[in-house]
Amino acid sequence: MNDSPDETESPGAGSFVVFEGFARLASGTLAEAALAAKRAQERGTRSAVLVFDQATGAVTDLDLRGTEPEIAARHAPLARPATKRGRPKLGVVAREVTLLPRHWEWLGSQPGGASVALRRLVEAARKLDSESGAPRRRTEAAYRFMSAMAGDLPGFEDAARALFAQDRERLLHCIRAWAPDIRDQLLRYLGPSGEAGPG
C-alpha cells in the first residue's frame, strides 16, 4: 500500500485512492483502500473519508462493517471460475455469437476462418477505441474526482471549463489555491503531462 502522495503512480484498473478530507490518505487495492478507510473512521476523524477508483474517478462505496480480516476478505478480488470450454491455456473462451448469414459467409471466406477474422476485427476496434477514447475517459475521470472533492471550492466552474477545453495552463491557474493533494490527484487522472492525452 502506498501511503505517500508524492510517489508517482498512474491511475489504473484495480487501483484505489483514499481521501480523508482534502488529504490523500493512501492508495492501493480495493481491500487496502477499505482498511485505510476503516482505520480513519476508527480514529474518529471528523473529515469525510472517500475512496476513488483511480481508473474512473468514481467514488466507491465500501462495506466497512466487521473486523479488518473480514473487511479485507469482503473486498478481495473474486477468483475467476475455471472454464473448460474453448482453449483455456491460451485464454480463449467459447461464447455464442449471432450474425446474419451474409456475415457468416464473409467470415468463413477469410484466411483462418471465422474465429481468426473475428479476433482480428475485435483487436483492431480495441486499438482504435484505446487511441481515440483515452483522452475522453481521462477527462471524465478527472471531472468525476474534482466534482466530488472540489465542487464547492473557489474556481471549480472555471477549472471544469478548462479541463474540458484541455487547456492545461488555464486549469493549473484555476486550481492553484486548492489543497495540494487534490491538485496532485487531479493531474494524475490526466496523465504525466497533466493533459487529457493518450495514456
Side-chain angles (χ1 to χ4, degrees):
M1 181 125 189
N2 173 24
D3 293 318
S4 170
D6 297 324
E7 187 174 323
T8 302
E9 162 190 305
S10 298
S15 180
F16 297 83
V17 62
V18 184
F19 270 79
E20 181 180 349
F22 292 153
R24 186 170 185 261
L25 185 61
S27 67
T29 65
L30 184 58
E32 291 170 330
L35 291 175
K38 174 71 170 181
R39 291 169 188 150
Q41 285 185 351
E42 288 179 341
R43 284 197 314 271
T45 180
R46 295 185 180 187
S47 301
V49 177
L50 297 176
V51 177
F52 293 91
D53 184 321
Q54 294 208 88
T56 67
V59 174
T60 303
D61 291 325
L62 302 175
D63 182 351
L64 302 180
R65 295 172 299 166
T67 65
E68 288 199 0
E70 290 170 340
I71 293 168
R74 187 180 304 127
H75 295 93
L78 296 175
R80 297 180 67 180
T83 179
K84 294 184 179 177
R85 295 185 67 191
R87 296 155 85 182
K89 288 186 180 178
L90 300 176
V92 177
V93 177
R95 291 187 183 167
E96 182 179 347
V97 175
T98 305
L99 299 172
L100 294 172
R102 67 177 182 271
H103 299 147
W104 284 116
E105 183 180 336
W106 182 83
L107 285 169
S109 69
Q110 300 305 303
S115 292
V116 172
L118 280 171
R119 284 196 292 271
R120 278 198 207 114
L121 288 170
V122 170
E123 286 303 320
R126 287 184 69 216
K127 182 177 180 185
L128 183 63
D129 179 63
S130 176
E131 292 171 353
S132 63
R136 176 182 50 80
R137 285 190 296 271
R138 284 181 174 275
T139 298
E140 289 172 355
Y143 182 72
R144 285 187 203 102
F145 169 77
M146 68 186 276
S147 294
M149 289 299 298
D152 294 329
L153 295 181
F156 171 79
E157 290 182 9
D158 287 340
R161 283 192 283 271
L163 173 70
F164 284 104
Q166 297 187 18
D167 185 342
R168 179 175 185 263
E169 187 176 334
R170 177 69 181 154
L171 176 62
L172 291 173
H173 176 75
C174 293
I175 67 175
R176 70 192 184 284
W178 293 3
D181 286 349
I182 294 178
R183 293 196 313 260
D184 175 67
Q185 186 64 33
L186 177 60
L187 295 178
R188 286 169 189 249
Y189 281 110
L190 298 177
S193 65
E195 297 174 329

